[in-house]
Amino acid sequence: MNPIRSEKIESIDEDQNSAAVSEVEDGIRDFVRNDIAYLRRPVPNMVASTDAAVDPAAEATVNNVNSLIQRVAGSSLAEIENLISELESLRDILHAEGQRVQREISGYAQLSQAAMKSTRMIADNVAQWKRTADGLRHS
C-alpha cells in the first residue's frame, strides 16, 4: 500500500513540476517573440527633410537587408518553436515511460513479496510434515 501512496505524492509533485516547466517555457517563448518583434515591424518612413538627402540605392539596400533579417529571424523562430514542441512531446513520452516503469517496479515488488510469503509457507509445511514423519517413525 505504501507504493500507491508514494506514487500519488510523486504524481502531485510531477504535476506541479510540469506546470512550473510549462510556465517557464511559455515565458521563454514570449521573451523570444518580443525580442525579435521589432524585426518584423515595417521600417517607418524617415522625416521628409531627410528623404531628399538619402540615396535611393542606399535606402533600397537597407530595405533588402531588413527584409533578409526578417526572413532569417522568422525561419529561425519557426525552427525554435518546432524544436520546443518536439522537446515537449519527448518530455511527455519520457514522463509516461517513467510512470510505466514505476508501475512495473511496484508490480514486481508485490509479486516478489507474494513469492517470499509462498516460499515461507511451503518451507513451514515441509518442516511440519518432516516433524510428523519423524514422530511416526519413532512410534
Side-chain angles (χ1 to χ4, degrees):
M1 294 203 177
N2 288 340
I4 295 172
R5 183 176 287 165
S6 65
E7 186 175 301
K8 287 180 183 177
I9 292 170
E10 290 174 5
S11 175
I12 292 169
D13 290 342
E14 290 171 357
D15 290 342
Q16 291 172 347
N17 289 342
S18 63
V21 168
S22 296
E23 186 177 329
V24 169
E25 289 172 351
D26 291 340
I28 291 171
R29 204 174 290 117
D30 291 341
F31 176 76
V32 169
R33 285 185 184 132
N34 290 336
D35 193 39
I36 65 166
Y38 71 92
L39 295 173
R40 294 183 181 176
R41 291 188 200 122
V43 178
N45 292 336
M46 297 189 162
V47 180
S49 62
T50 58
D51 281 344
V54 175
D55 182 21
E59 188 174 332
T61 303
V62 168
N63 286 337
N64 287 339
V65 169
N66 285 338
S67 174
L68 177 66
I69 290 173
Q70 289 174 355
R71 285 185 300 202
V72 169
S75 64
S76 295
L77 182 60
E79 288 181 31
I80 290 171
E81 287 179 351
N82 286 337
L83 180 62
I84 287 172
S85 66
E86 286 178 20
L87 290 173
E88 287 174 344
S89 66
L90 286 174
R91 182 194 64 207
D92 293 340
I93 290 169
L94 287 174
H95 180 71
E97 283 298 305
Q99 288 180 338
R100 184 189 62 80
V101 167
Q102 283 180 337
R103 286 191 304 272
E104 292 288 328
I105 290 172
S106 176
Y108 176 75
Q110 290 174 353
L111 181 64
S112 177
Q113 288 176 352
M116 286 176 23
K117 286 179 183 178
S118 298
T119 303
R120 277 192 208 119
M121 287 174 54
I122 290 170
D124 290 344
N125 286 338
V126 168
Q128 184 180 14
W129 292 341
K130 186 176 179 182
R131 283 191 299 259
T132 303
D134 287 342
L136 290 176
R137 283 186 202 158
H138 293 298
S139 47

